[in-house]
Amino acid sequence: MRVLLIKTSSMGDVIHTLPALTDAKAAIPDLQVDWVVEEAFADLARRHPAVHQVFPCALRRWRKHPFKARRSGEWGDFKSALQATDYDAVIDAQGLIKSAFITRLARGPKFGLDKHSAREGLSARVLDHPQAVIKGQHAIHRVRQLFAQSLGYTLPTHAPDAGLPRSHVPAPLSQPANLVFCHGTTWATKHYPEGFWHQLVRLACAEGHRVFLPWGNDEEKARAERLAAEFATAEVLPKMGLADLTDKLLSWDAFVAVDTGLAHLAAAAGLPGVALYGPTDPQLTGVLGLSAKSLAADFPCAPCVQERCTYRGELGKGVSPPCFSTLKPHFVWQRLRELCI
């Protein structure tokens, strides 16, 4: 069975799609999936055993420079590759106008989210078989349900499995282990306080573990250097691409992260770990994995889903953002230890 999957970005969205591929491959052993994905995430898509071929696209760049994309032949080559196969099913797992534009070009019966289920309802107009998938569920559950309905198998009830091949068995924290602390994120409100990170690094190093600190920009690199400065077993990673970082995650033992794409990647790589949620809602976008858990702030206005904190009360005074005052380092460390037995 040949299926074309349209799920281009972001990193979190791509990772949230992997468990649906695992389900589908188990239900349909001869399944072969071709995947249209943004070029930055092509390596990640190729790692899943159900994926036969990846079609890297550059929609953001092509939309910005459409004439250049045509003159260079990039767009023509992409379109020709996409239309070279008659698929048994084409699944738009994104539900956006941009994904509908690509879905329309493909050959085969087209499945996807109906106008009430998609983020952009107009995307359903190109579908032959629009599917009703309840909103308000976690993104992983929604994609798993969409695949099951589209391909005609019973939705599994087991925990989501991203299917990334992993030979290393994570070590328990009762012995020296390699941990990754993913401290970088976008919104100011999603940042776990640096002083709390410092305490977590201290707790980990004091128990004989090694802590690795990735970074993606100069600000994150400076913070990583400050966190590692006092500890011989804390290491700031060199700048690395997504493929190299994924390889590292598949060989480490546990993680702590804020609400960031790397948290989902760590969970998908099979690491036990915890992700810390203050202003955002883990019910919708929390980490899900065989041994990964989301810890949500227990605060009156959480989750506010705001990029700027507007809380002016006395709770959590001295902590910024104050909602993280309910996720103190010792509590976080204890939850991690419970997962890594």
Side-chain angles (χ1 to χ4, degrees):
M1 186 176 189
R2 294 295 298 275
V3 171
L4 180 67
L5 166 62
I6 316 295
K7 186 78 163 185
T8 60
S9 63
S10 61
M11 183 166 74
D13 287 343
V14 170
I15 294 166
H16 289 157
T17 306
L18 297 175
L21 293 177
T22 305
D23 294 346
K25 184 66 173 176
I28 310 169
D30 66 345
L31 179 73
Q32 288 187 345
V33 176
D34 294 346
W35 192 339
V36 178
V37 67
E38 279 286 341
E39 53 192 356
F41 310 121
D43 173 78
L44 184 57
R46 288 189 186 99
R47 291 174 185 261
H48 196 285
V51 174
H52 172 69
Q53 186 175 193
V54 170
F55 298 126
C57 69
L59 286 181
R60 295 171 184 172
R61 178 161 53 81
W62 292 342
R63 283 186 297 178
K64 189 176 293 186
H65 304 288
F67 296 110
K68 184 177 179 181
R70 288 183 179 275
R71 285 197 305 269
S72 68
E74 270 192 286
W75 171 250
D77 291 345
F78 170 76
K79 185 177 177 181
S80 296
L82 190 68
Q83 296 180 328
T85 301
D86 291 318
Y87 289 97
D88 298 300
V90 178
I91 301 178
D92 177 1
Q94 202 144 16
L96 300 176
I97 299 299
K98 68 176 184 179
S99 58
F101 175 72
I102 297 175
T103 302
R104 180 181 61 86
L105 298 174
R107 293 177 176 173
K110 298 171 176 62
F111 298 79
L113 300 166
D114 70 14
K115 65 180 181 180
H116 303 295
S117 307
R119 196 183 313 171
E120 297 178 356
L122 286 175
S123 65
R125 291 194 173 187
V126 305
L127 303 177
D128 302 307
H129 306 284
Q131 304 293 314
V133 176
I134 299 172
K135 288 185 173 181
Q137 304 179 81
H138 192 284
I140 288 178
H141 298 322
R142 278 171 53 84
V143 182
R144 292 179 78 186
Q145 185 177 337
L146 173 62
F147 264 68
Q149 292 174 193
S150 300
L151 300 181
Y153 58 83
T154 302
L155 180 67
T157 58
H158 58 69
D161 178 2
L164 295 181
R166 179 185 180 92
S167 58
H168 172 71
V169 177
L173 295 194
S174 58
Q175 63 189 57
N178 292 320
L179 316 181
V180 58
F181 286 0
C182 304
H183 56 96
T185 186
T186 49
W187 300 357
T189 50
K190 293 199 293 185
H191 277 285
Y192 194 55
E194 185 171 329
F196 284 6
W197 276 120
H198 191 271
Q199 292 180 51
L200 275 175
V201 175
R202 183 183 299 279
L203 288 167
C205 293
E207 294 191 15
H209 306 302
R210 190 164 194 85
V211 175
F212 295 95
L213 298 160
W215 55 275
N217 55 45
D218 290 342
E219 182 181 351
E220 292 176 7
K221 182 182 182 183
R223 180 170 56 247
E225 289 172 343
R226 291 192 297 271
L227 292 175
E230 296 180 24
F231 308 103
T233 56
E235 179 180 334
V236 179
L237 291 171
K239 189 172 181 62
M240 58 179 59
L242 183 59
D244 290 336
L245 187 55
T246 303
D247 288 338
K248 291 287 189 183
L249 288 168
L250 289 166
S251 67
W252 286 331
D253 300 306
F255 76 93
V256 179
V258 285
D259 182 7
T260 176
L262 289 185
H264 300 289
L265 183 57
L271 268 73
V274 294
L276 312 177
Y277 287 78
T280 48
D281 189 354
Q283 294 298 318
L284 300 178
T285 58
V287 296
L288 289 180
L290 299 177
S291 303
K293 302 294 181 185
S294 301
L295 299 181
D298 182 12
F299 206 74
C301 54
C304 64
V305 199
Q306 299 295 320
E307 295 186 40
R308 296 181 60 188
C309 181
T310 58
Y311 178 75
R312 297 295 179 266
E314 292 296 313
L315 291 174
K317 195 170 183 179
V319 176
S320 180
C323 54
F324 279 121
S325 63
T326 63
L327 294 176
K328 296 253 184 352
H330 280 86
F331 172 79
V332 172
W333 182 247
Q334 186 58 38
R335 298 289 82 76
L336 181 66
R337 292 189 65 180
E338 290 169 359
L339 286 172
C340 301
I341 299 173

